[in-house]
């Protein structure tokens, strides 16, 4: 998955789940790792990073 695809998936998740999107991507990472599918887990890490960029810095 290239950066553009990760960004598209990240935007779609963020639109549908809002603040829970990054946690959902992290859940997919864990699930793929559990199944031993490291390449798929890496794709979800890219999506997670894209969501983090979309969301921006957390406020305190």
């Amino acid at each position: 998955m290239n950066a553009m695809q990760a960004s598209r998936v990240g935007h779609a998740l963020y639109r549908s789940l809002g603040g829970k999107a990054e946690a959902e991507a992290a859940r997919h990472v864990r699930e793929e790792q559990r199944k031993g599918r490291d390449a798929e887990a890496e794709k979800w890490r890219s999506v997670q990073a894209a969501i983090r960029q979309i969301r921006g810095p957390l406020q305190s």
Side-chain angles (χ1 to χ4, degrees), residues 1-13 15 46-47 50-51 53-54:
M1 176 179 298
N2 65 37
M4 187 62 99
Q5 291 169 321
S7 181
R8 268 192 232 120
V9 172
H11 273 89
L13 271 177
R15 276 193 307 274
S46 297
V47 171
I51 292 167
Q53 275 191 313
I54 294 163

Side-chain angles (χ1 to χ4, degrees), residues 20-41:
K20 297 179 182 180
E22 190 175 351
E24 180 66 13
R27 185 189 68 76
H28 282 282
V29 170
R30 289 189 305 274
E31 182 67 19
E32 296 301 343
Q33 285 177 324
R34 186 184 66 78
K35 293 177 180 178
R37 299 192 301 210
D38 294 333
E40 291 297 317

